[in-house]
Amino acid sequence: MFISMDPAMRGWMENRGDYMAPLALGEVMRAFAVGEVIETKSGQYNQGDYVCGLFGWQDCAVIKDNDTSCYRVNPAYPLPA
């Protein structure tokens, strides 16, 4: 539904030290995103829930229950205030 695009991404594409390691060629670009749970085996999330997390630039992501970057959001206002 939503995906972030940040100036830091340019630095992650360059082969230099930074607060985060550079991306390897072919690696998914890091980014926070909001999306809908389409399938789940989780006790934390249900199908149809809207979640925000560090999912990257991709169509689908697999998230583990212990992923602390992921949290449920209100679909009427999915971004933190």
Side-chain angles (χ1 to χ4, degrees):
M1 297 176 63
F2 300 97
I3 193 162
S4 68
M5 184 172 202
D6 306 298
M9 293 173 174
R10 181 176 175 125
W12 300 337
M13 291 186 290
E14 296 175 0
N15 190 16
R16 62 179 169 87
D18 204 344
Y19 68 97
M20 292 183 88
L23 293 169
L25 191 59
E27 192 174 358
V28 173
M29 175 57 75
R30 300 176 194 111
F32 276 95
V34 175
E36 183 179 357
V37 176
I38 55 173
E39 184 178 327
T40 184
K41 295 178 184 174
S42 169
Q44 264 182 270
Y45 304 106
N46 299 311
Q47 185 176 351
D49 283 350
Y50 290 87
V51 292
C52 180
L54 191 58
F55 306 143
W57 285 12
Q58 54 188 349
D59 292 329
C60 293
V62 176
I63 305 302
K64 297 182 181 182
D65 274 347
N66 64 354
D67 185 339
T68 58
S69 79
C70 186
Y71 55 93
R72 188 178 288 109
V73 294
N74 179 342
Y77 189 73
L79 304 177

